[in-house]
Amino acid sequence: MSGRFSSVRAKASLGATAVVAVALVAAGVAVLLSLRVNLTGQAERAADRAAREVALDIAAQAPDRTPYAKLELPDAEDSPVLVTDEDGRLLTLSEGLQRISGSGVPAVEAPRSPPDPAGTARTGGSDGSDRSGGSEDDDDSDDDGGDDHGGGKGGDDDPAVGEIDDTTAYSDGRAMVEGTADDYRFATVEATDRTGRTVVVHAGATLADRRSAVNTTAVAMLLGLPVLLLVVGGVTWLVTRRALRPVEGIRSEMAAITASEDLSRRVPEPATRDEVARLARTTNETLTALEAAVERQRRFVADASHELRSPIASLRTQLEVGHAHPGLLDVPGAVADTVRLQQLAGDLLMLARLDAGERPGRTRTDLGALVREEVSQRATDRFPVAVRAREGFEVVGSRGQLARVLGNLLDNAQRHAAGSVETSVRRVGAWVVLAVADDGAGVPEAERERIFERFVRLDDARSRDDGGAGLGLAIARDVAERHGGTLTVGRAPSGGALFELRLPAVTGPGEAGP
């Protein structure tokens, strides 16, 4: 099970589903809160409208001692109304309203008998004991704790005679109308009638619509959320599978290449221009480079085996002949074959070190002094080497490797020269140029790059006695490139080959040019 959910498709699908779920839950909560606030506002406006209509009737009532019990109040089912004095004593209430309670309205139960019509408001009344519909049991209902208001204000805050208060206070409560209890939003407004009495009007608006709408919306969201999440997860799974299908093709092809060891095969490249297509192209480029490296290694092993076989076979033959016939032992030939084996082994070791990534040192070397020193030690050359180099041209690198490059170039010139070999060192801009020229047949233009490949010898250099193993120039160019320079071949003024080694010149203490 864990392996199934560890795939990229599963992780992407689960991640997308989780993000969408969090977003939908947050959006659903916001919608429900917004809907609740909106519907509560509608209930408040309805309650305020009913309370003000009753308050206006009271404020406009003529001072003819009209009983409050005879006020025309809204239907209790639509908007239950309760009218009390400032002390919270009941004056009148909507027909059918049996009980009312809440944080901002006095807890009142409807009287069992109709209000006394004689209990009318009197202009001189100050204790309110003769008000209509009053109940002796309601004296303890002056606890008006609501949002920020009570049943009445009293004092100088009372509205003027014949006016109603401009402010409305809101609170939540419950009311029982004709045996059915429900939640209501109450609006509380004060009014002063023409006799100077200040009364408090509480009018409610049912919250059943709010509760029903919120509950219906919540249920719809709860039912739709799993379905929507299932759709999101499924679509993400399908889209991810389609997007990763080329990756699976690349993986399977790479597995096949690894199993078959056939580096000529390539992974399929999608026609798109996305990251997967770039991955496929990069993979094929890597396979191409790997194939070339393996092919070069195979060719190197084959060529090295071939080059080693000849001197070893020759040396063995001479030793066997010398063992059987001591007088016929060709000691100089055996020594020459041994020297050739030693040189070939040194060249192979040098190539192995270069292929392993050995980096040259950072020693400052005077190239002119190096040329003079190396030429002075070459006592067995066929032709003397003319040196035109002065000291002072410094480069940074491995002195031993640079000496090896110079030796290989001089050996190649001695092998192909007709009568003279010349070497020089000069400064050209930010470069120090070491040149080796001979007066031989030169290098055909078509072969001037191929001769730097390993084990490559031109037709006139294939003789075992005159030609090398074909590694000297390859080593020389590899060393030049690792020193940040170049090695090229051209035509010398004398008609032979002209090899030029360009290395960055030292431009400061311990620094080199480009």
Side-chain angles (χ1 to χ4, degrees), residues 309-371:
R309 185 183 300 113
S310 297
I312 289 176
S314 176
L315 181 60
R316 177 181 177 180
T317 299
Q318 295 181 52
L319 291 176
E320 290 177 348
V321 171
H323 178 70
H325 307 282
L328 299 180
L329 178 61
D330 183 7
V331 176
V335 171
D337 287 336
T338 303
V339 170
R340 186 181 180 201
L341 279 174
Q342 182 181 10
Q343 293 176 345
L344 182 57
D347 289 344
L348 293 176
L349 179 60
M350 183 70 174
L351 285 174
R353 290 164 57 186
L354 293 174
D355 289 342
E358 179 181 299
R359 302 187 65 82
R362 302 294 297 172
T363 305
R364 294 176 62 152
T365 302
D366 189 322
L367 208 54
L370 176 65
V371 169

Side-chain angles (χ1 to χ4, degrees), residues 130-169:
D130 59 344
R131 292 168 186 168
S132 70
S135 174
E136 298 293 331
D137 297 334
D138 293 334
D139 292 342
D140 60 347
S141 61
D142 56 352
D143 181 11
D144 57 326
D147 294 343
D148 57 357
H149 60 278
K153 297 180 181 179
D156 296 336
D157 294 335
D158 293 340
V161 175
E163 294 184 2
I164 66 174
D165 198 349
D166 293 333
T167 61
T168 304

Side-chain angles (χ1 to χ4, degrees), residues 37-76:
V37 170
N38 192 327
L39 294 177
T40 300
Q42 293 182 10
E44 287 180 349
R45 288 190 292 273
D48 180 69
R49 184 167 55 252
R52 289 188 175 276
E53 288 177 355
V54 174
L56 286 174
D57 289 343
I58 294 174
Q61 182 175 292
D64 56 357
R65 299 179 181 269
T66 300
Y68 282 96
K70 294 183 178 180
L71 286 174
E72 293 184 3
L73 301 179
D75 187 4

